mmCIF file of all heavy atoms in Angstrom:
data_model
loop_
_atom_site.group_PDB
_atom_site.id
_atom_site.type_symbol
_atom_site.label_atom_id
_atom_site.label_comp_id
_atom_site.label_asym_id
_atom_site.label_seq_id
_atom_site.Cartn_x
_atom_site.Cartn_y
_atom_site.Cartn_z
ATOM 1 N N MET A 1 8.313 -1.090 1.793
ATOM 2 C CA MET A 1 7.182 -1.463 2.645
ATOM 3 C C MET A 1 5.863 -1.413 1.778
ATOM 4 O O MET A 1 5.810 -0.610 0.925
ATOM 5 C CB MET A 1 7.069 -0.518 3.823
ATOM 6 C CG MET A 1 8.134 -0.567 4.755
ATOM 7 S SD MET A 1 7.910 0.802 6.062
ATOM 8 C CE MET A 1 8.780 0.008 7.425
ATOM 9 N N GLY A 2 5.060 -2.298 2.009
ATOM 10 C CA GLY A 2 3.829 -2.362 1.118
ATOM 11 C C GLY A 2 2.631 -2.900 2.017
ATOM 12 O O GLY A 2 2.869 -3.663 2.975
ATOM 13 N N TRP A 3 1.426 -2.638 1.569
ATOM 14 C CA TRP A 3 0.267 -3.032 1.959
ATOM 15 C C TRP A 3 -0.466 -3.794 0.846
ATOM 16 O O TRP A 3 -0.608 -3.182 -0.272
ATOM 17 C CB TRP A 3 -0.632 -2.038 2.589
ATOM 18 C CG TRP A 3 -0.291 -1.572 3.935
ATOM 19 C CD1 TRP A 3 0.569 -0.460 4.243
ATOM 20 C CD2 TRP A 3 -0.478 -2.190 5.230
ATOM 21 N NE1 TRP A 3 0.727 -0.323 5.539
ATOM 22 C CE2 TRP A 3 0.162 -1.351 6.196
ATOM 23 C CE3 TRP A 3 -1.249 -3.319 5.626
ATOM 24 C CZ2 TRP A 3 0.057 -1.720 7.497
ATOM 25 C CZ3 TRP A 3 -1.321 -3.625 6.964
ATOM 26 C CH2 TRP A 3 -0.676 -2.766 8.006
ATOM 27 N N TYR A 4 -0.883 -4.996 1.044
ATOM 28 C CA TYR A 4 -1.767 -5.685 0.016
ATOM 29 C C TYR A 4 -3.077 -5.983 0.673
ATOM 30 O O TYR A 4 -3.277 -5.996 1.847
ATOM 31 C CB TYR A 4 -1.058 -7.032 -0.317
ATOM 32 C CG TYR A 4 0.206 -6.803 -1.154
ATOM 33 C CD1 TYR A 4 1.419 -6.349 -0.574
ATOM 34 C CD2 TYR A 4 0.295 -7.117 -2.525
ATOM 35 C CE1 TYR A 4 2.578 -6.161 -1.289
ATOM 36 C CE2 TYR A 4 1.357 -6.966 -3.323
ATOM 37 C CZ TYR A 4 2.570 -6.526 -2.653
ATOM 38 O OH TYR A 4 3.691 -6.287 -3.396
ATOM 39 N N ARG A 5 -4.076 -6.364 -0.240
ATOM 40 C CA ARG A 5 -5.302 -6.743 0.322
ATOM 41 C C ARG A 5 -5.879 -7.871 -0.615
ATOM 42 O O ARG A 5 -5.604 -8.025 -1.721
ATOM 43 C CB ARG A 5 -6.373 -5.570 0.404
ATOM 44 C CG ARG A 5 -6.814 -5.069 -0.958
ATOM 45 C CD ARG A 5 -7.604 -3.896 -0.752
ATOM 46 N NE ARG A 5 -8.170 -3.322 -1.955
ATOM 47 C CZ ARG A 5 -8.952 -2.149 -1.984
ATOM 48 N NH1 ARG A 5 -9.183 -1.517 -0.925
ATOM 49 N NH2 ARG A 5 -9.245 -1.728 -3.178
ATOM 50 N N GLN A 6 -6.774 -8.702 0.035
ATOM 51 C CA GLN A 6 -7.373 -9.813 -0.666
ATOM 52 C C GLN A 6 -8.813 -9.961 -0.293
ATOM 53 O O GLN A 6 -9.089 -10.145 0.934
ATOM 54 C CB GLN A 6 -6.586 -11.067 -0.471
ATOM 55 C CG GLN A 6 -7.160 -12.250 -1.346
ATOM 56 C CD GLN A 6 -6.230 -13.395 -1.290
ATOM 57 O OE1 GLN A 6 -5.438 -13.592 -0.290
ATOM 58 N NE2 GLN A 6 -6.261 -14.258 -2.274
ATOM 59 N N ALA A 7 -9.661 -9.759 -1.158
ATOM 60 C CA ALA A 7 -11.092 -9.888 -0.844
ATOM 61 C C ALA A 7 -11.504 -11.329 -1.215
ATOM 62 O O ALA A 7 -10.812 -12.048 -1.973
ATOM 63 C CB ALA A 7 -12.002 -8.970 -1.778
ATOM 64 N N PRO A 8 -12.599 -11.889 -0.654
ATOM 65 C CA PRO A 8 -13.002 -13.277 -0.878
ATOM 66 C C PRO A 8 -13.167 -13.626 -2.349
ATOM 67 O O PRO A 8 -13.852 -12.785 -3.089
ATOM 68 C CB PRO A 8 -14.327 -13.408 -0.094
ATOM 69 C CG PRO A 8 -14.200 -12.407 0.977
ATOM 70 C CD PRO A 8 -13.489 -11.234 0.352
ATOM 71 N N GLY A 9 -12.547 -14.593 -2.780
ATOM 72 C CA GLY A 9 -12.568 -15.077 -4.273
ATOM 73 C C GLY A 9 -11.783 -14.223 -5.225
ATOM 74 O O GLY A 9 -11.921 -14.477 -6.376
ATOM 75 N N LYS A 10 -10.996 -13.403 -4.655
ATOM 76 C CA LYS A 10 -10.075 -12.523 -5.515
ATOM 77 C C LYS A 10 -8.753 -12.682 -5.213
ATOM 78 O O LYS A 10 -8.285 -13.112 -4.213
ATOM 79 C CB LYS A 10 -10.634 -11.020 -5.496
ATOM 80 C CG LYS A 10 -11.964 -10.779 -5.879
ATOM 81 C CD LYS A 10 -12.333 -9.274 -5.785
ATOM 82 C CE LYS A 10 -13.803 -8.988 -6.267
ATOM 83 N NZ LYS A 10 -14.127 -7.527 -6.187
ATOM 84 N N GLU A 11 -7.925 -12.250 -6.221
ATOM 85 C CA GLU A 11 -6.445 -12.306 -5.985
ATOM 86 C C GLU A 11 -6.048 -11.159 -5.158
ATOM 87 O O GLU A 11 -6.625 -10.145 -5.038
ATOM 88 C CB GLU A 11 -5.735 -12.213 -7.375
ATOM 89 C CG GLU A 11 -6.063 -13.441 -8.421
ATOM 90 C CD GLU A 11 -5.247 -13.388 -9.595
ATOM 91 O OE1 GLU A 11 -4.460 -12.399 -9.809
ATOM 92 O OE2 GLU A 11 -5.434 -14.346 -10.413
ATOM 93 N N ARG A 12 -4.916 -11.549 -4.392
ATOM 94 C CA ARG A 12 -4.351 -10.507 -3.627
ATOM 95 C C ARG A 12 -3.667 -9.391 -4.515
ATOM 96 O O ARG A 12 -3.103 -9.599 -5.533
ATOM 97 C CB ARG A 12 -3.077 -11.038 -2.780
ATOM 98 C CG ARG A 12 -2.522 -10.044 -1.849
ATOM 99 C CD ARG A 12 -1.526 -10.766 -0.994
ATOM 100 N NE ARG A 12 -2.248 -11.885 -0.218
ATOM 101 C CZ ARG A 12 -1.446 -12.663 0.765
ATOM 102 N NH1 ARG A 12 -0.298 -12.357 1.047
ATOM 103 N NH2 ARG A 12 -2.102 -13.629 1.412
ATOM 104 N N GLU A 13 -3.948 -8.151 -4.078
ATOM 105 C CA GLU A 13 -3.534 -6.983 -4.981
ATOM 106 C C GLU A 13 -2.841 -6.063 -4.120
ATOM 107 O O GLU A 13 -2.959 -5.858 -2.846
ATOM 108 C CB GLU A 13 -4.841 -6.301 -5.567
ATOM 109 C CG GLU A 13 -5.700 -5.687 -4.564
ATOM 110 C CD GLU A 13 -6.847 -4.960 -5.249
ATOM 111 O OE1 GLU A 13 -6.817 -4.660 -6.419
ATOM 112 O OE2 GLU A 13 -7.889 -4.538 -4.517
ATOM 113 N N LEU A 14 -1.865 -5.219 -4.747
ATOM 114 C CA LEU A 14 -1.120 -4.356 -4.258
ATOM 115 C C LEU A 14 -1.958 -3.007 -3.853
ATOM 116 O O LEU A 14 -2.686 -2.590 -4.806
ATOM 117 C CB LEU A 14 0.047 -3.822 -5.040
ATOM 118 C CG LEU A 14 0.880 -2.677 -4.476
ATOM 119 C CD1 LEU A 14 1.697 -3.099 -3.121
ATOM 120 C CD2 LEU A 14 1.949 -2.232 -5.516
ATOM 121 N N VAL A 15 -1.917 -2.475 -2.673
ATOM 122 C CA VAL A 15 -2.586 -1.299 -2.311
ATOM 123 C C VAL A 15 -1.766 -0.058 -2.313
ATOM 124 O O VAL A 15 -2.131 1.004 -2.872
ATOM 125 C CB VAL A 15 -3.297 -1.487 -0.859
ATOM 126 C CG1 VAL A 15 -3.960 -0.244 -0.509
ATOM 127 C CG2 VAL A 15 -4.370 -2.645 -0.953
ATOM 128 N N ALA A 16 -0.621 -0.246 -1.591
ATOM 129 C CA ALA A 16 0.269 0.914 -1.514
ATOM 130 C C ALA A 16 1.620 0.378 -1.216
ATOM 131 O O ALA A 16 1.792 -0.688 -0.604
ATOM 132 C CB ALA A 16 -0.137 1.903 -0.438
ATOM 133 N N ARG A 17 2.668 1.127 -1.557
ATOM 134 C CA ARG A 17 4.050 0.789 -1.317
ATOM 135 C C ARG A 17 4.811 2.025 -1.072
ATOM 136 O O ARG A 17 4.559 3.111 -1.634
ATOM 137 C CB ARG A 17 4.643 -0.079 -2.524
ATOM 138 C CG ARG A 17 4.820 0.688 -3.708
ATOM 139 C CD ARG A 17 5.162 -0.335 -4.885
ATOM 140 N NE ARG A 17 6.423 -0.949 -4.724
ATOM 141 C CZ ARG A 17 7.613 -0.391 -5.167
ATOM 142 N NH1 ARG A 17 7.658 0.671 -5.857
ATOM 143 N NH2 ARG A 17 8.743 -1.158 -5.013
ATOM 144 N N LEU A 18 5.909 1.810 -0.280
ATOM 145 C CA LEU A 18 6.796 2.851 0.032
ATOM 146 C C LEU A 18 8.218 2.336 0.120
ATOM 147 O O LEU A 18 8.542 1.394 0.754
ATOM 148 C CB LEU A 18 6.471 3.470 1.542
ATOM 149 C CG LEU A 18 7.392 4.513 2.220
ATOM 150 C CD1 LEU A 18 7.380 5.749 1.423
ATOM 151 C CD2 LEU A 18 6.971 4.658 3.630
ATOM 152 N N THR A 19 9.076 2.988 -0.689
ATOM 153 C CA THR A 19 10.511 2.563 -0.858
ATOM 154 C C THR A 19 11.302 3.250 0.229
ATOM 155 O O THR A 19 10.857 4.254 0.769
ATOM 156 C CB THR A 19 11.002 2.936 -2.163
ATOM 157 O OG1 THR A 19 11.246 4.298 -2.374
ATOM 158 C CG2 THR A 19 10.123 2.320 -3.243
ATOM 159 N N SER A 20 12.452 2.721 0.411
ATOM 160 C CA SER A 20 13.420 3.314 1.465
ATOM 161 C C SER A 20 13.829 4.717 1.028
ATOM 162 O O SER A 20 14.207 5.514 1.873
ATOM 163 C CB SER A 20 14.691 2.466 1.579
ATOM 164 O OG SER A 20 15.261 2.329 0.436
ATOM 165 N N GLY A 21 13.691 5.061 -0.260
ATOM 166 C CA GLY A 21 13.974 6.377 -0.759
ATOM 167 C C GLY A 21 12.927 7.372 -0.546
ATOM 168 O O GLY A 21 12.977 8.587 -1.022
ATOM 169 N N GLY A 22 11.658 6.883 -0.075
ATOM 170 C CA GLY A 22 10.554 7.793 0.094
ATOM 171 C C GLY A 22 9.564 7.801 -1.051
ATOM 172 O O GLY A 22 8.548 8.563 -0.905
ATOM 173 N N ASP A 23 9.763 7.053 -2.188
ATOM 174 C CA ASP A 23 8.806 7.020 -3.217
ATOM 175 C C ASP A 23 7.597 6.139 -2.802
ATOM 176 O O ASP A 23 7.762 5.154 -2.172
ATOM 177 C CB ASP A 23 9.519 6.483 -4.372
ATOM 178 C CG ASP A 23 10.638 7.294 -5.015
ATOM 179 O OD1 ASP A 23 10.477 8.493 -4.835
ATOM 180 O OD2 ASP A 23 11.514 6.768 -5.474
ATOM 181 N N THR A 24 6.431 6.621 -3.211
ATOM 182 C CA THR A 24 5.160 6.028 -2.888
ATOM 183 C C THR A 24 4.441 5.719 -4.201
ATOM 184 O O THR A 24 4.570 6.411 -5.163
ATOM 185 C CB THR A 24 4.253 6.680 -1.958
ATOM 186 O OG1 THR A 24 3.910 8.010 -2.605
ATOM 187 C CG2 THR A 24 4.947 6.909 -0.668
ATOM 188 N N ASN A 25 3.568 4.635 -4.211
ATOM 189 C CA ASN A 25 2.628 4.460 -5.281
ATOM 190 C C ASN A 25 1.450 3.809 -4.678
ATOM 191 O O ASN A 25 1.517 3.013 -3.626
ATOM 192 C CB ASN A 25 3.236 3.861 -6.564
ATOM 193 C CG ASN A 25 3.587 2.411 -6.227
ATOM 194 O OD1 ASN A 25 4.806 2.146 -5.875
ATOM 195 N ND2 ASN A 25 2.702 1.429 -6.490
ATOM 196 N N TYR A 26 0.279 3.977 -5.310
ATOM 197 C CA TYR A 26 -0.957 3.504 -4.751
ATOM 198 C C TYR A 26 -1.772 2.943 -5.942
ATOM 199 O O TYR A 26 -1.580 3.341 -7.171
ATOM 200 C CB TYR A 26 -1.811 4.657 -4.232
ATOM 201 C CG TYR A 26 -1.205 5.308 -2.987
ATOM 202 C CD1 TYR A 26 -0.224 6.410 -3.111
ATOM 203 C CD2 TYR A 26 -1.422 4.934 -1.717
ATOM 204 C CE1 TYR A 26 0.251 7.098 -2.074
ATOM 205 C CE2 TYR A 26 -0.802 5.476 -0.648
ATOM 206 C CZ TYR A 26 0.056 6.595 -0.865
ATOM 207 O OH TYR A 26 0.656 7.129 0.362
ATOM 208 N N ALA A 27 -2.574 1.994 -5.554
ATOM 209 C CA ALA A 27 -3.682 1.520 -6.474
ATOM 210 C C ALA A 27 -4.620 2.709 -6.872
ATOM 211 O O ALA A 27 -4.848 3.505 -6.014
ATOM 212 C CB ALA A 27 -4.377 0.331 -5.950
ATOM 213 N N ASP A 28 -5.014 2.672 -8.132
ATOM 214 C CA ASP A 28 -5.995 3.801 -8.433
ATOM 215 C C ASP A 28 -7.149 3.784 -7.713
ATOM 216 O O ASP A 28 -7.777 4.929 -7.389
ATOM 217 C CB ASP A 28 -6.283 3.596 -10.014
ATOM 218 C CG ASP A 28 -5.155 3.923 -10.956
ATOM 219 O OD1 ASP A 28 -4.138 4.532 -10.500
ATOM 220 O OD2 ASP A 28 -5.189 3.450 -12.073
ATOM 221 N N SER A 29 -7.676 2.712 -7.172
ATOM 222 C CA SER A 29 -8.826 2.625 -6.476
ATOM 223 C C SER A 29 -8.758 3.331 -5.146
ATOM 224 O O SER A 29 -9.787 3.595 -4.371
ATOM 225 C CB SER A 29 -9.367 1.153 -6.295
ATOM 226 O OG SER A 29 -8.444 0.406 -5.582
ATOM 227 N N VAL A 30 -7.562 3.551 -4.630
ATOM 228 C CA VAL A 30 -7.335 4.005 -3.258
ATOM 229 C C VAL A 30 -6.711 5.382 -3.279
ATOM 230 O O VAL A 30 -6.555 6.008 -2.160
ATOM 231 C CB VAL A 30 -6.612 3.069 -2.353
ATOM 232 C CG1 VAL A 30 -7.273 1.767 -2.260
ATOM 233 C CG2 VAL A 30 -5.205 2.907 -2.689
ATOM 234 N N LYS A 31 -6.178 5.788 -4.325
ATOM 235 C CA LYS A 31 -5.369 7.019 -4.528
ATOM 236 C C LYS A 31 -6.249 8.238 -4.030
ATOM 237 O O LYS A 31 -7.371 8.388 -4.450
ATOM 238 C CB LYS A 31 -4.821 7.213 -5.938
ATOM 239 C CG LYS A 31 -3.664 8.158 -6.001
ATOM 240 C CD LYS A 31 -3.059 8.028 -7.352
ATOM 241 C CE LYS A 31 -1.707 8.788 -7.432
ATOM 242 N NZ LYS A 31 -1.084 8.553 -8.716
ATOM 243 N N GLY A 32 -5.639 8.986 -3.138
ATOM 244 C CA GLY A 32 -6.277 10.185 -2.653
ATOM 245 C C GLY A 32 -7.079 9.822 -1.330
ATOM 246 O O GLY A 32 -7.536 10.821 -0.520
ATOM 247 N N ARG A 33 -7.225 8.624 -1.061
ATOM 248 C CA ARG A 33 -7.986 8.145 0.213
ATOM 249 C C ARG A 33 -7.038 7.500 1.256
ATOM 250 O O ARG A 33 -7.341 7.601 2.398
ATOM 251 C CB ARG A 33 -9.175 7.188 -0.136
ATOM 252 C CG ARG A 33 -10.182 7.794 -1.057
ATOM 253 C CD ARG A 33 -11.305 7.005 -1.178
ATOM 254 N NE ARG A 33 -11.046 5.654 -1.762
ATOM 255 C CZ ARG A 33 -11.225 4.477 -1.122
ATOM 256 N NH1 ARG A 33 -11.756 4.365 0.016
ATOM 257 N NH2 ARG A 33 -10.867 3.327 -1.889
ATOM 258 N N PHE A 34 -6.122 6.797 0.704
ATOM 259 C CA PHE A 34 -5.165 6.035 1.591
ATOM 260 C C PHE A 34 -3.845 6.648 1.516
ATOM 261 O O PHE A 34 -3.301 7.188 0.548
ATOM 262 C CB PHE A 34 -5.075 4.480 1.092
ATOM 263 C CG PHE A 34 -6.200 3.706 1.220
ATOM 264 C CD1 PHE A 34 -7.540 4.201 1.690
ATOM 265 C CD2 PHE A 34 -6.172 2.331 1.032
ATOM 266 C CE1 PHE A 34 -8.635 3.503 1.803
ATOM 267 C CE2 PHE A 34 -7.282 1.503 1.229
ATOM 268 C CZ PHE A 34 -8.437 2.082 1.569
ATOM 269 N N THR A 35 -3.100 6.614 2.676
ATOM 270 C CA THR A 35 -1.725 7.067 2.767
ATOM 271 C C THR A 35 -0.864 6.131 3.520
ATOM 272 O O THR A 35 -1.206 5.671 4.530
ATOM 273 C CB THR A 35 -1.628 8.397 3.466
ATOM 274 O OG1 THR A 35 -2.608 9.405 2.897
ATOM 275 C CG2 THR A 35 -0.321 9.047 3.582
ATOM 276 N N ILE A 36 0.278 5.776 2.928
ATOM 277 C CA ILE A 36 1.275 4.823 3.489
ATOM 278 C C ILE A 36 2.348 5.783 4.130
ATOM 279 O O ILE A 36 2.763 6.731 3.411
ATOM 280 C CB ILE A 36 1.735 3.856 2.478
ATOM 281 C CG1 ILE A 36 2.711 2.788 3.240
ATOM 282 C CG2 ILE A 36 2.489 4.390 1.349
ATOM 283 C CD1 ILE A 36 3.086 1.560 2.424
ATOM 284 N N SER A 37 2.867 5.304 5.255
ATOM 285 C CA SER A 37 3.909 6.054 5.818
ATOM 286 C C SER A 37 4.629 5.193 6.783
ATOM 287 O O SER A 37 4.274 4.061 7.157
ATOM 288 C CB SER A 37 3.422 7.269 6.613
ATOM 289 O OG SER A 37 2.505 6.964 7.650
ATOM 290 N N ARG A 38 5.717 5.619 7.361
ATOM 291 C CA ARG A 38 6.560 4.945 8.383
ATOM 292 C C ARG A 38 7.020 5.846 9.351
ATOM 293 O O ARG A 38 7.146 7.088 9.140
ATOM 294 C CB ARG A 38 7.660 4.146 7.700
ATOM 295 C CG ARG A 38 8.762 4.972 7.072
ATOM 296 C CD ARG A 38 9.932 4.176 6.639
ATOM 297 N NE ARG A 38 10.642 3.691 7.818
ATOM 298 C CZ ARG A 38 11.603 2.946 7.791
ATOM 299 N NH1 ARG A 38 12.208 2.553 6.461
ATOM 300 N NH2 ARG A 38 12.277 2.480 8.787
ATOM 301 N N ASP A 39 7.431 5.348 10.545
ATOM 302 C CA ASP A 39 8.087 6.135 11.551
ATOM 303 C C ASP A 39 9.491 5.685 11.741
ATOM 304 O O ASP A 39 10.021 4.740 10.966
ATOM 305 C CB ASP A 39 7.272 6.067 12.919
ATOM 306 C CG ASP A 39 7.257 4.685 13.528
ATOM 307 O OD1 ASP A 39 8.041 3.738 13.198
ATOM 308 O OD2 ASP A 39 6.283 4.424 14.360
ATOM 309 N N ALA A 40 10.174 6.059 12.657
ATOM 310 C CA ALA A 40 11.616 5.828 12.885
ATOM 311 C C ALA A 40 11.787 4.477 13.676
ATOM 312 O O ALA A 40 12.991 4.097 13.815
ATOM 313 C CB ALA A 40 12.288 7.033 13.700
ATOM 314 N N LYS A 41 10.686 3.737 13.999
ATOM 315 C CA LYS A 41 10.858 2.568 14.798
ATOM 316 C C LYS A 41 10.453 1.403 13.944
ATOM 317 O O LYS A 41 9.938 0.392 14.426
ATOM 318 C CB LYS A 41 10.073 2.599 16.021
ATOM 319 C CG LYS A 41 10.513 3.758 16.936
ATOM 320 C CD LYS A 41 9.806 3.613 18.345
ATOM 321 C CE LYS A 41 8.337 3.986 18.218
ATOM 322 N NZ LYS A 41 7.657 3.931 19.531
ATOM 323 N N ASN A 42 10.564 1.442 12.618
ATOM 324 C CA ASN A 42 10.340 0.432 11.710
ATOM 325 C C ASN A 42 8.846 -0.027 11.820
ATOM 326 O O ASN A 42 8.578 -1.194 11.635
ATOM 327 C CB ASN A 42 11.200 -0.801 11.996
ATOM 328 C CG ASN A 42 12.638 -0.503 11.417
ATOM 329 O OD1 ASN A 42 12.902 0.340 10.619
ATOM 330 N ND2 ASN A 42 13.559 -1.234 12.107
#
């Protein structure tokens, strides 16, 4: 699972991702401020 973002005139970039195994990673610009998660209902 992942979240991307695209600002006007810029390329789409990865913000955060979460694997089925529970591993996460974040863009440096959002680390510590954003949190990705999921529930049991997809």
Side-chain angles (χ1 to χ4, degrees):
M1 293 177 154
W3 286 96
Y4 292 73
R5 68 185 182 187
Q6 187 169 24
K10 297 183 179 180
E11 296 182 1
R12 187 175 300 185
E13 64 175 348
L14 176 67
V15 176
R17 66 192 295 271
L18 171 65
T19 71
S20 60
D23 295 324
T24 61
N25 65 273
Y26 299 89
D28 288 340
S29 60
V30 308
K31 202 166 189 176
R33 299 188 297 120
F34 291 11
T35 303
I36 186 171
S37 63
R38 66 170 292 178
D39 63 17
K41 298 189 293 183
N42 290 332

